[in-house]
Coordinates of all heavy atoms in Angstrom, one line a residue:
M21 N -8.5 -26.1 -4.2 CA -7.3 -25.6 -4.9 C -7.1 -24.1 -4.4 O -8.0 -23.3 -4.4 CB -7.6 -25.6 -6.3 CG -6.5 -25.2 -7.3 SD -6.8 -25.3 -8.9 CE -7.5 -23.8 -9.3
S22 N -5.9 -23.8 -4.0 CA -5.6 -22.5 -3.5 C -5.2 -21.6 -4.7 O -4.6 -22.1 -5.7 CB -4.6 -22.5 -2.4 OG -3.3 -22.8 -3.1
V23 N -5.5 -20.3 -4.6 CA -5.1 -19.3 -5.8 C -4.1 -18.4 -5.2 O -4.1 -17.9 -4.1 CB -6.4 -18.5 -6.1 CG1 -6.0 -17.6 -7.2 CG2 -7.5 -19.4 -6.5
S24 N -2.9 -18.3 -5.9 CA -1.8 -17.4 -5.5 C -2.2 -15.9 -5.5 O -3.1 -15.6 -6.3 CB -0.6 -17.6 -6.4 OG -0.8 -17.0 -7.6
I25 N -1.5 -15.2 -4.8 CA -1.8 -13.7 -4.8 C -1.6 -13.1 -6.2 O -2.3 -12.3 -6.5 CB -0.8 -13.0 -3.6 CG1 -1.2 -11.5 -3.6 CG2 0.7 -13.1 -3.9 CD1 -2.6 -11.3 -2.9
E26 N -0.6 -13.6 -6.8 CA -0.4 -13.2 -8.2 C -1.6 -13.4 -9.2 O -2.0 -12.5 -9.9 CB 1.0 -13.9 -8.8 CG 2.1 -13.3 -8.3 CD 2.6 -14.0 -6.9 OE1 1.9 -15.1 -6.6 OE2 3.4 -13.5 -6.2
E27 N -2.2 -14.6 -9.0 CA -3.4 -14.9 -9.8 C -4.5 -14.0 -9.4 O -5.2 -13.6 -10.2 CB -3.7 -16.4 -9.6 CG -2.8 -17.4 -10.3 CD -3.0 -18.8 -10.0 OE1 -3.0 -19.1 -8.8 OE2 -3.3 -19.6 -10.8
R28 N -4.6 -13.8 -8.1 CA -5.8 -13.0 -7.6 C -5.6 -11.4 -8.1 O -6.6 -10.9 -8.6 CB -5.9 -12.8 -6.1 CG -6.3 -14.3 -5.5 CD -6.2 -14.3 -4.1 NE -6.3 -15.7 -3.5 CZ -7.1 -15.9 -2.5 NH1 -7.6 -15.1 -1.7 NH2 -7.1 -17.2 -2.2
L29 N -4.3 -11.0 -8.2 CA -4.1 -9.6 -8.6 C -4.3 -9.5 -10.0 O -4.6 -8.5 -10.5 CB -2.7 -9.2 -8.1 CG -2.4 -9.0 -6.7 CD1 -1.0 -8.7 -6.4 CD2 -3.2 -7.8 -6.1
Y30 N -4.2 -10.7 -10.8 CA -4.4 -10.6 -12.1 C -5.9 -10.3 -12.5 O -6.2 -9.9 -13.6 CB -4.0 -11.9 -12.7 CG -4.2 -12.0 -14.4 CD1 -3.4 -11.1 -15.1 CD2 -5.2 -12.7 -14.9 CE1 -3.4 -11.2 -16.5 CE2 -5.4 -12.6 -16.3 CZ -4.3 -12.0 -17.0 OH -4.6 -11.9 -18.4
T31 N -6.8 -10.5 -11.5 CA -8.2 -10.3 -11.8 C -8.6 -8.9 -11.7 O -9.9 -8.4 -11.9 CB -9.1 -11.1 -10.9 OG1 -8.9 -10.7 -9.6 CG2 -8.7 -12.6 -10.9
I32 N -7.7 -7.9 -11.3 CA -8.0 -6.4 -11.2 C -7.2 -5.8 -12.3 O -6.2 -6.1 -12.7 CB -7.8 -6.1 -9.8 CG1 -6.3 -6.3 -9.4 CG2 -8.8 -6.7 -8.9 CD1 -5.9 -5.7 -8.0
R33 N -7.7 -4.5 -12.4 CA -6.8 -3.7 -13.4 C -6.8 -2.4 -12.7 O -7.5 -1.9 -11.9 CB -7.7 -3.3 -14.6 CG -7.1 -2.7 -15.6 CD -7.8 -2.5 -16.9 NE -8.0 -3.9 -17.5 CZ -9.0 -4.1 -18.3 NH1 -9.9 -3.2 -18.7 NH2 -9.1 -5.3 -18.9
Y34 N -5.5 -1.7 -12.8 CA -5.2 -0.5 -12.2 C -4.7 0.6 -13.1 O -3.8 0.2 -13.9 CB -4.2 -0.7 -11.1 CG -4.1 0.4 -10.0 CD1 -4.7 0.3 -8.8 CD2 -3.4 1.5 -10.3 CE1 -4.7 1.3 -7.9 CE2 -3.2 2.5 -9.3 CZ -4.0 2.5 -8.2 OH -3.9 3.5 -7.3
K35 N -5.3 1.7 -13.0 CA -4.8 2.9 -13.8 C -4.1 3.8 -12.8 O -4.6 4.5 -12.0 CB -5.9 3.6 -14.5 CG -5.5 4.7 -15.4 CD -6.8 5.3 -16.2 CE -6.3 6.5 -16.9 NZ -7.4 7.2 -17.4
A36 N -2.7 3.7 -12.8 CA -1.9 4.5 -11.8 C -2.0 6.0 -12.0 O -1.7 6.4 -13.1 CB -0.5 3.9 -11.9
D37 N -2.3 6.6 -11.0 CA -2.1 8.1 -10.9 C -0.7 8.5 -10.9 O 0.1 7.7 -10.6 CB -2.8 8.6 -9.6 CG -3.2 10.0 -9.6 OD1 -2.8 10.7 -10.6 OD2 -4.1 10.5 -8.8
E38 N -0.4 9.7 -11.3 CA 0.9 10.2 -11.3 C 1.4 10.5 -9.9 O 2.6 10.4 -9.6 CB 1.1 11.5 -12.2 CG 1.0 11.0 -13.7 CD 0.9 12.3 -14.5 OE1 1.1 13.3 -14.0 OE2 0.6 12.1 -15.8
Q39 N 0.5 10.7 -9.0 CA 0.9 11.1 -7.6 C 0.4 9.9 -6.7 O -0.8 9.4 -6.9 CB 0.3 12.4 -7.2 CG 1.0 13.5 -8.0 CD 0.5 14.9 -7.2 OE1 -0.4 15.0 -6.7 NE2 1.5 15.8 -7.3
S40 N 1.2 9.6 -5.7 CA 0.7 8.7 -4.8 C -0.5 9.1 -3.9 O -0.5 10.3 -3.5 CB 1.8 8.3 -3.8 OG 1.4 7.4 -2.9
H41 N -1.4 8.2 -3.7 CA -2.6 8.5 -2.8 C -2.2 8.0 -1.4 O -3.1 8.1 -0.5 CB -3.9 7.9 -3.3 CG -3.8 6.4 -3.3 ND1 -3.1 5.7 -4.3 CD2 -4.4 5.4 -2.7 CE1 -3.2 4.4 -4.1 NE2 -4.1 4.2 -3.0
L42 N -1.1 7.5 -1.1 CA -0.6 7.0 0.1 C 0.6 7.8 0.6 O 1.5 8.0 -0.3 CB -0.3 5.5 0.1 CG -1.3 4.6 -0.5 CD1 -0.8 3.3 -0.9 CD2 -2.6 4.4 0.4
A43 N 0.8 8.0 1.9 CA 2.1 8.7 2.2 C 2.2 8.4 3.8 O 1.3 8.1 4.5 CB 1.8 10.2 2.1
V44 N 3.5 8.5 4.1 CA 3.9 8.3 5.5 C 3.8 9.8 6.1 O 4.3 10.7 5.5 CB 5.3 7.8 5.6 CG1 5.9 8.0 6.9 CG2 5.3 6.3 5.3
Q45 N 3.1 9.9 7.2 CA 3.1 11.2 7.8 C 4.4 11.7 8.4 O 4.9 12.8 8.3 CB 2.0 11.3 8.9 CG 0.8 10.9 8.2 CD -0.6 11.3 9.3 OE1 -0.5 12.2 9.9 NE2 -1.5 10.4 9.3
N46 N 5.0 10.8 9.1 CA 6.4 11.1 9.8 C 7.3 9.9 9.7 O 7.2 8.8 10.3 CB 6.1 11.3 11.4 CG 7.3 11.7 12.1 OD1 8.4 11.6 11.6 ND2 7.1 12.4 13.3
P47 N 8.3 10.1 8.7 CA 9.2 9.0 8.5 C 10.0 8.4 9.7 O 10.2 7.3 9.8 CB 10.2 9.6 7.5 CG 9.4 10.8 6.8 CD 8.5 11.3 8.0
Q48 N 10.2 9.3 10.7 CA 10.9 8.9 11.9 C 10.1 7.9 12.7 O 10.8 7.0 13.2 CB 11.3 10.1 12.6 CG 12.2 9.8 14.0 CD 13.6 9.3 13.5 OE1 14.2 9.8 12.7 NE2 14.0 8.2 14.2
V49 N 8.8 8.2 12.6 CA 7.9 7.1 13.3 C 8.1 5.8 12.8 O 8.2 4.7 13.4 CB 6.4 7.6 13.3 CG1 5.6 6.5 13.9 CG2 6.3 8.8 14.0
C50 N 8.2 5.7 11.4 CA 8.4 4.3 10.8 C 9.8 3.7 11.2 O 10.1 2.6 11.4 CB 8.3 4.5 9.2 SG 6.7 4.8 8.7
T51 N 10.9 4.6 11.2 CA 12.1 4.2 11.5 C 12.2 3.5 12.9 O 12.8 2.5 13.3 CB 13.2 5.4 11.5 OG1 13.2 5.9 10.2 CG2 14.6 4.8 11.9
D52 N 11.5 4.2 13.9 CA 11.4 3.7 15.2 C 10.4 2.6 15.4 O 10.5 1.9 16.4 CB 11.0 4.8 16.2 CG 12.0 6.0 16.1 OD1 13.1 5.8 15.8 OD2 11.6 7.1 16.5
C53 N 9.5 2.3 14.4 CA 8.5 1.3 14.6 C 9.2 -0.1 14.7 O 9.9 -0.4 13.8 CB 7.5 1.4 13.4 SG 6.3 0.2 13.4
K54 N 8.9 -0.8 15.8 CA 9.5 -2.1 15.9 C 8.8 -3.2 15.1 O 9.6 -4.1 14.4 CB 9.4 -2.6 17.3 CG 10.2 -1.6 18.4 CD 11.6 -1.9 18.5 CE 12.4 -1.2 19.4 NZ 12.7 0.2 19.0
L55 N 7.7 -3.2 15.0 CA 6.9 -4.4 14.4 C 6.8 -4.2 12.9 O 6.7 -5.2 12.1 CB 5.6 -4.5 15.1 CG 5.6 -5.0 16.5 CD1 4.2 -5.1 17.0 CD2 6.3 -6.3 16.7
K56 N 6.6 -2.9 12.4 CA 6.4 -2.8 11.0 C 5.4 -3.6 10.4 O 5.4 -4.4 9.4 CB 7.8 -2.8 10.2 CG 8.7 -1.8 10.6 CD 10.0 -1.7 9.8 CE 10.9 -0.6 10.2 NZ 11.1 -0.2 11.6
E57 N 4.1 -3.6 11.1 CA 3.0 -4.4 10.6 C 2.6 -4.2 9.2 O 2.1 -5.2 8.6 CB 1.8 -4.3 11.6 CG 2.0 -4.5 13.0 CD 2.2 -3.2 13.7 OE1 2.7 -2.2 13.1 OE2 1.6 -3.0 14.8
C58 N 2.9 -3.0 8.7 CA 2.4 -2.8 7.3 C 3.1 -3.8 6.3 O 2.6 -3.9 5.1 CB 2.6 -1.4 6.8 SG 4.4 -0.8 7.1
L59 N 4.3 -4.3 6.6 CA 5.0 -5.2 5.7 C 4.1 -6.5 5.6 O 4.5 -7.3 4.7 CB 6.4 -5.5 6.2 CG 7.4 -4.3 6.4 CD1 8.7 -4.7 6.7 CD2 7.1 -3.2 5.2
S60 N 3.4 -6.8 6.5 CA 2.6 -8.0 6.5 C 1.0 -7.9 6.4 O 0.4 -8.8 5.8 CB 2.8 -8.8 7.7 OG 2.5 -8.2 8.9
F61 N 0.5 -6.7 6.7 CA -1.0 -6.7 6.6 C -1.6 -6.3 5.3 O -2.6 -6.5 4.9 CB -1.7 -5.9 7.7 CG -1.3 -4.4 7.7 CD1 -1.5 -3.5 6.7 CD2 -0.9 -3.8 9.0 CE1 -1.2 -2.2 6.8 CE2 -0.5 -2.5 9.0 CZ -0.7 -1.6 7.9
C62 N -0.7 -5.6 4.5 CA -1.1 -5.2 3.0 C -1.2 -6.4 2.1 O -0.2 -7.1 1.9 CB -0.2 -4.2 2.5 SG -0.6 -3.8 0.9
P63 N -2.4 -6.6 1.6 CA -2.7 -7.8 0.7 C -2.0 -7.7 -0.5 O -1.8 -8.7 -1.3 CB -4.1 -8.0 0.6 CG -4.5 -6.5 0.7 CD -3.7 -5.9 1.8
A64 N -1.4 -6.6 -0.9 CA -0.8 -6.4 -2.2 C 0.7 -6.0 -2.1 O 1.3 -5.6 -3.1 CB -1.5 -5.2 -3.0
D65 N 1.2 -6.2 -1.0 CA 2.7 -6.0 -0.8 C 3.2 -4.6 -1.1 O 4.2 -4.4 -1.8 CB 3.4 -7.0 -1.6 CG 3.6 -8.4 -0.8 OD1 3.2 -8.4 0.4 OD2 3.8 -9.4 -1.5
V66 N 2.3 -3.6 -0.8 CA 2.6 -2.2 -1.2 C 3.8 -1.7 -0.5 O 4.6 -1.0 -1.0 CB 1.3 -1.3 -1.0 CG1 1.7 0.2 -1.1 CG2 0.2 -1.7 -2.1
Y67 N 3.9 -2.0 0.8 CA 4.9 -1.5 1.7 C 6.1 -2.4 1.7 O 6.0 -3.6 1.9 CB 4.3 -1.3 3.1 CG 3.1 -0.3 3.0 CD1 1.9 -0.9 3.2 CD2 3.4 1.1 3.0 CE1 0.8 0.0 3.1 CE2 2.3 2.0 2.9 CZ 0.9 1.4 3.0 OH -0.1 2.3 3.0
D68 N 7.3 -1.7 1.8 CA 8.5 -2.6 2.0 C 9.5 -1.7 2.6 O 9.3 -0.4 2.6 CB 9.1 -2.9 0.5 CG 10.1 -4.0 0.6 OD1 10.2 -4.7 1.6 OD2 10.7 -4.3 -0.5
W69 N 10.4 -2.3 3.5 CA 11.4 -1.6 4.1 C 12.8 -1.7 3.6 O 13.2 -2.6 3.2 CB 11.5 -2.1 5.7 CG 12.4 -1.3 6.4 CD1 13.6 -1.7 6.9 CD2 12.1 0.0 7.0 NE1 14.1 -0.6 7.7 CE2 13.3 0.4 7.7 CE3 11.1 0.9 6.8 CZ2 13.4 1.6 8.4 CZ3 11.1 2.1 7.5 CH2 12.3 2.4 8.2
D70 N 13.2 -0.4 3.2 CA 14.6 -0.4 2.5 C 15.7 -0.2 3.5 O 15.8 0.7 4.2 CB 14.7 0.9 1.5 CG 15.9 0.9 0.7 OD1 16.9 0.5 1.2 OD2 15.8 1.4 -0.4
V71 N 16.3 -1.4 3.8 CA 17.4 -1.5 4.9 C 18.4 -0.4 4.7 O 18.8 0.2 5.5 CB 17.9 -3.0 4.9 CG1 19.0 -3.0 6.1 CG2 16.8 -3.9 5.3
E72 N 18.7 -0.2 3.3 CA 20.0 0.6 3.1 C 19.6 2.2 3.5 O 20.4 2.8 4.2 CB 20.3 0.5 1.6 CG 21.7 0.9 1.3 CD 22.0 0.4 -0.1 OE1 22.1 -0.8 -0.3 OE2 22.3 1.4 -1.0
T73 N 18.5 2.5 3.2 CA 18.2 4.0 3.4 C 17.3 4.1 4.7 O 17.1 5.3 5.1 CB 17.3 4.6 2.2 OG1 16.0 3.9 2.0 CG2 18.0 4.5 0.9
Q74 N 17.0 3.0 5.2 CA 16.1 3.0 6.4 C 14.8 3.8 6.2 O 14.4 4.6 7.0 CB 16.9 3.6 7.7 CG 18.0 2.7 8.1 CD 17.5 1.5 8.8 OE1 16.8 1.5 9.9 NE2 17.7 0.3 8.2
T75 N 14.2 3.6 5.1 CA 12.9 4.2 4.8 C 11.9 3.2 4.3 O 12.2 2.2 3.8 CB 13.1 5.3 3.7 OG1 13.6 4.7 2.6 CG2 13.9 6.5 4.2
L76 N 10.6 3.6 4.5 CA 9.4 2.8 4.1 C 9.3 3.1 2.6 O 9.1 4.4 2.2 CB 8.3 3.0 4.8 CG 7.0 2.1 4.7 CD1 7.5 0.7 5.2 CD2 5.8 2.7 5.4
T77 N 9.3 2.1 1.7 CA 8.8 2.5 0.3 C 7.5 2.1 0.1 O 6.9 1.1 0.7 CB 9.8 1.6 -0.6 OG1 9.6 0.2 -0.4 CG2 11.2 2.0 -0.6
I78 N 6.6 2.8 -0.9 CA 5.3 2.6 -1.0 C 5.1 2.4 -2.6 O 5.1 3.4 -3.2 CB 4.5 3.8 -0.5 CG1 4.8 4.0 1.0 CG2 3.0 3.5 -0.7 CD1 4.2 5.3 1.6
A79 N 4.7 1.2 -2.8 CA 4.4 0.9 -4.3 C 2.9 1.2 -4.6 O 2.1 0.2 -4.6 CB 4.9 -0.4 -4.7
Y80 N 2.5 2.5 -4.4 CA 1.2 2.8 -4.5 C 0.4 2.3 -5.8 O -0.8 2.2 -5.7 CB 0.9 4.3 -4.4 CG 1.3 5.1 -5.6 CD1 0.4 5.5 -6.4 CD2 2.7 5.5 -5.8 CE1 0.8 6.2 -7.7 CE2 3.0 6.3 -6.9 CZ 2.1 6.5 -7.8 OH 2.5 7.2 -9.0
E81 N 1.2 2.1 -6.8 CA 0.4 1.7 -8.0 C -0.1 0.2 -7.9 O -1.0 -0.1 -8.6 CB 1.6 1.4 -9.1 CG 2.4 2.7 -9.4 CD 3.7 2.7 -8.6 OE1 3.8 2.0 -7.5 OE2 4.6 3.5 -8.9
N82 N 0.2 -0.5 -6.8 CA -0.3 -1.8 -6.6 C -1.4 -1.9 -5.7 O -2.0 -3.0 -5.4 CB 0.8 -2.8 -6.1 CG 1.9 -2.9 -7.1 OD1 1.7 -2.7 -8.4 ND2 3.0 -3.2 -6.7
C83 N -1.7 -0.7 -5.1 CA -2.8 -0.7 -4.0 C -4.1 -1.1 -4.5 O -4.5 -0.6 -5.7 CB -2.8 0.7 -3.5 SG -4.2 0.9 -2.3
V84 N -4.8 -2.0 -3.8 CA -6.2 -2.4 -4.2 C -7.3 -1.7 -3.4 O -8.5 -2.1 -3.5 CB -6.3 -4.0 -4.1 CG1 -5.3 -4.8 -5.0 CG2 -6.2 -4.5 -2.6
E85 N -6.9 -0.7 -2.8 CA -7.8 0.2 -2.0 C -8.7 -0.6 -1.0 O -9.9 -0.3 -0.9 CB -8.6 1.0 -3.0 CG -7.8 1.9 -3.9 CD -8.7 2.5 -5.2 OE1 -9.7 2.7 -4.9 OE2 -8.0 2.7 -6.1
C86 N -8.1 -1.5 -0.3 CA -8.8 -2.3 0.6 C -9.1 -1.5 1.9 O -10.0 -1.7 2.7 CB -8.3 -3.6 1.0 SG -6.6 -3.4 2.0
G87 N -8.3 -0.5 2.2 CA -8.5 0.4 3.4 C -7.8 -0.1 4.7 O -7.8 0.6 5.7
T88 N -7.2 -1.3 4.6 CA -6.6 -1.9 5.8 C -5.6 -0.9 6.4 O -5.5 -0.8 7.7 CB -5.9 -3.2 5.5 OG1 -6.9 -4.1 4.9 CG2 -5.3 -3.8 6.7
C89 N -4.8 -0.4 5.7 CA -3.7 0.5 6.3 C -4.2 1.7 6.9 O -3.5 2.3 7.8 CB -2.5 0.7 5.3 SG -3.1 1.5 3.8
R90 N -5.4 2.1 6.5 CA -6.0 3.3 7.2 C -6.1 3.1 8.7 O -6.1 4.0 9.6 CB -7.4 3.6 6.7 CG -7.4 4.0 5.3 CD -8.8 4.3 4.8 NE -9.1 5.7 5.1 CZ -10.3 6.2 4.7 NH1 -11.0 5.6 3.9 NH2 -10.6 7.4 5.0
V91 N -6.4 1.8 9.1 CA -6.8 1.6 10.5 C -5.7 0.6 11.1 O -5.7 0.5 12.3 CB -8.2 0.8 10.6 CG1 -9.2 1.9 10.3 CG2 -8.2 -0.4 9.8
A92 N -4.9 -0.2 10.3 CA -4.1 -1.1 10.9 C -2.7 -0.7 11.3 O -2.0 -1.4 12.1 CB -3.9 -2.3 9.9
C93 N -2.3 0.5 10.9 CA -1.0 1.0 11.4 C -1.2 1.4 12.9 O -2.0 2.4 13.1 CB -0.5 2.1 10.5 SG 0.9 3.0 11.3
A94 N -0.6 0.8 13.8 CA -0.8 1.1 15.1 C -0.3 2.5 15.5 O -0.8 3.0 16.4 CB 0.1 0.0 16.0
E95 N 0.5 3.1 14.8 CA 1.0 4.5 14.9 C 0.1 5.4 14.2 O 0.5 6.7 14.3 CB 2.5 4.5 14.5 CG 3.5 3.7 15.1 CD 3.6 3.8 16.7 OE1 3.3 4.9 17.1 OE2 4.0 2.9 17.3
D96 N -0.8 5.0 13.6 CA -1.7 5.9 12.7 C -0.8 6.8 11.9 O -1.0 8.1 11.8 CB -2.7 6.7 13.6 CG -3.7 7.3 12.9 OD1 -4.0 6.9 11.8 OD2 -4.3 8.4 13.5
N97 N 0.2 6.3 11.2 CA 1.2 7.1 10.5 C 1.0 7.0 9.0 O 1.9 7.4 8.4 CB 2.6 6.5 10.9 CG 3.7 7.6 10.6 OD1 3.4 8.8 10.7 ND2 4.9 7.1 10.3
I98 N 0.0 6.5 8.6 CA -0.3 6.4 7.1 C -1.4 7.3 6.7 O -2.4 7.3 7.3 CB -0.6 5.0 6.6 CG1 0.6 4.1 6.9 CG2 -0.9 4.9 5.1 CD1 0.2 2.6 6.6
E99 N -1.1 8.2 5.8 CA -2.0 9.2 5.2 C -2.6 8.5 3.9 O -1.9 8.1 3.0 CB -1.3 10.5 4.7 CG -2.3 11.6 4.6 CD -1.4 12.8 4.3 OE1 -0.5 13.3 5.1 OE2 -1.6 13.5 3.2
W100 N -4.0 8.4 4.1 CA -4.7 7.5 3.0 C -5.8 8.3 2.3 O -6.6 9.0 3.1 CB -5.2 6.2 3.7 CG -5.7 5.3 2.7 CD1 -5.0 4.0 2.5 CD2 -6.9 5.1 1.9 NE1 -5.7 3.3 1.6 CE2 -6.9 3.9 1.3 CE3 -8.0 5.9 1.8 CZ2 -7.9 3.5 0.4 CZ3 -9.0 5.5 1.0 CH2 -9.0 4.3 0.3
K101 N -5.8 8.4 1.1 CA -7.0 9.0 0.4 C -7.2 8.2 -0.9 O -6.2 7.5 -1.4 CB -6.7 10.5 0.1 CG -5.6 10.7 -0.8 CD -5.3 12.3 -0.8 CE -4.0 12.4 -1.7 NZ -3.6 13.8 -1.6
Y102 N -8.3 8.3 -1.4 CA -8.7 7.7 -2.8 C -7.8 8.3 -3.9 O -7.6 9.5 -3.8 CB -10.1 7.8 -3.0 CG -11.0 6.8 -2.4 CD1 -11.9 7.2 -1.4 CD2 -10.9 5.3 -2.5 CE1 -12.6 6.3 -0.7 CE2 -11.7 4.5 -1.9 CZ -12.5 4.9 -1.0 OH -13.3 4.0 -0.3
P103 N -7.5 7.6 -4.8 CA -6.8 8.2 -6.0 C -7.7 9.1 -6.6 O -9.0 9.1 -6.5 CB -6.5 7.0 -6.9 CG -6.6 5.8 -6.1 CD -7.6 6.0 -4.9
T104 N -7.2 10.1 -7.4 CA -8.1 11.1 -7.9 C -9.0 10.5 -9.0 O -8.7 9.4 -9.6 CB -7.2 12.2 -8.7 OG1 -6.2 11.7 -9.4 CG2 -6.6 13.1 -7.5
G105 N -10.0 11.1 -9.4 CA -11.1 10.6 -10.3 C -10.5 10.0 -11.5 O -9.7 10.6 -12.2
G106 N -11.0 8.8 -11.9 CA -10.6 8.1 -13.0 C -9.4 7.2 -12.9 O -9.0 6.4 -13.7
Y107 N -8.7 7.3 -11.8 CA -7.5 6.6 -11.5 C -7.8 5.5 -10.3 O -8.8 5.6 -9.8 CB -6.2 7.4 -11.0 CG -5.7 8.3 -12.1 CD1 -6.2 9.6 -12.2 CD2 -4.9 7.7 -13.0 CE1 -5.7 10.5 -13.2 CE2 -4.4 8.6 -14.0 CZ -4.8 9.9 -14.2 OH -4.4 10.7 -15.1
G108 N -7.0 4.6 -10.2 CA -7.1 3.6 -9.2 C -7.5 2.3 -9.7 O -7.4 1.9 -10.9
I109 N -8.2 1.5 -8.9 CA -8.6 0.1 -9.1 C -9.9 0.0 -9.9 O -10.9 0.7 -9.7 CB -8.7 -0.6 -7.7 CG1 -8.3 -2.1 -8.0 CG2 -9.9 -0.4 -7.0 CD1 -6.9 -2.4 -8.3
S110 N -9.9 -1.1 -10.7 CA -11.2 -1.4 -11.2 C -11.2 -2.9 -11.3 O -10.2 -3.6 -11.7 CB -11.5 -0.9 -12.7 OG -10.6 -1.4 -13.6
Y111 N -12.3 -3.6 -10.9 CA -12.3 -5.0 -10.7 C -12.9 -5.7 -11.9 O -14.1 -5.2 -12.3 CB -13.1 -5.4 -9.3 CG -12.4 -5.1 -8.2 CD1 -12.5 -3.7 -7.5 CD2 -11.5 -5.9 -7.6 CE1 -11.8 -3.4 -6.4 CE2 -10.7 -5.7 -6.4 CZ -10.9 -4.4 -5.9 OH -10.2 -4.0 -4.8
K112 N -12.4 -6.6 -12.5 CA -12.8 -7.2 -13.7 C -13.8 -8.3 -13.4 O -14.7 -8.6 -14.0 CB -11.7 -7.8 -14.5 CG -10.8 -6.9 -15.2 CD -9.8 -7.5 -16.1 CE -8.5 -8.0 -15.4 NZ -7.6 -8.6 -16.4
L113 N -13.7 -8.9 -12.1 CA -14.5 -10.0 -11.7 C -15.1 -9.6 -10.4 O -14.5 -9.0 -9.4 CB -13.7 -11.3 -11.4 CG -12.9 -11.8 -12.6 CD1 -12.0 -13.0 -12.2 CD2 -13.8 -12.2 -13.7
G114 N -16.5 -9.9 -10.2 CA -17.1 -9.5 -9.0 C -17.6 -8.1 -8.9 O -17.3 -7.3 -9.7
Ligands
SF4_211 S1 3.6 2.7 8.4 FE1 3.0 2.2 10.5 S2 3.4 0.0 10.7 FE2 4.5 0.7 8.9 S3 6.6 1.1 9.5 FE3 5.4 3.0 9.6 S4 4.6 3.2 11.7 FE4 5.2 1.1 11.4
SF4_212 S1 -5.3 0.2 1.1 FE1 -4.9 -2.0 1.3 S2 -3.9 -2.6 -0.6 FE2 -3.7 -0.2 -0.4 S3 -1.8 0.0 0.5 FE3 -3.4 0.0 2.2 S4 -3.4 -2.2 3.0 FE4 -2.3 -2.1 0.9

């Protein structure tokens, strides 16, 4: 039996910081980026491409801190740090 991403995300709890712990270093690099792999490699769908504004949106509140985007952006264009103390993810199971 497969478990949906929504069901998996339900097993975690997140206390969102007021400031994002994720940032794009150079927005123009994202605009020029052909593949935009971040739209597919993030397991929590944090990244989305806004066609209207031609910018990358970052729903940092949903980040599960897996660290993938630290290494998987081919342009090394994502600035990543842990949320400040007391904020971020906590796992209810496991
Ligand atoms: S974050 Fe990286 S993979 Fe995503 S659009 Fe920007 S340059 Fe491309
Ligand atoms: S650390 Fe993982 S969950 Fe968080 S934004 Fe990066 S790829 Fe997505």
Side-chain angles (χ1 to χ4, degrees):
M21 185 180 88
S22 67
V23 181
S24 71
I25 186 70
E26 288 79 15
E27 288 171 303
R28 290 175 195 218
L29 289 173
Y30 183 70
T31 66
I32 57 178
R33 185 175 301 159
Y34 196 96
K35 186 178 176 189
D37 200 347
E38 288 172 11
Q39 290 192 332
S40 176
H41 62 290
L42 307 166
V44 162
Q45 297 191 45
N46 183 343
Q48 188 60 48
V49 171
C50 290
T51 303
D52 297 339
C53 176
K54 297 273 186 286
L55 295 177
K56 297 187 176 36
E57 303 103 321
C58 58
L59 305 188
S60 53
F61 63 56
C62 174
D65 284 342
V66 166
Y67 300 100
D68 199 8
W69 184 252
D70 188 322
V71 177
E72 207 167 291
T73 61
Q74 290 290 294
T75 56
L76 190 69
T77 61
I78 305 176
Y80 71 94
E81 306 90 342
N82 298 334
C83 172
V84 296
E85 298 170 32
C86 70
T88 302
C89 56
R90 293 180 84 167
V91 294
C93 169
E95 304 294 337
D96 196 19
N97 198 32
I98 296 174
E99 197 178 302
W100 195 102
K101 58 187 177 192
Y102 281 109
T104 49
Y107 292 99
I109 202 81
S110 66
Y111 290 89
K112 288 190 274 185
L113 304 176

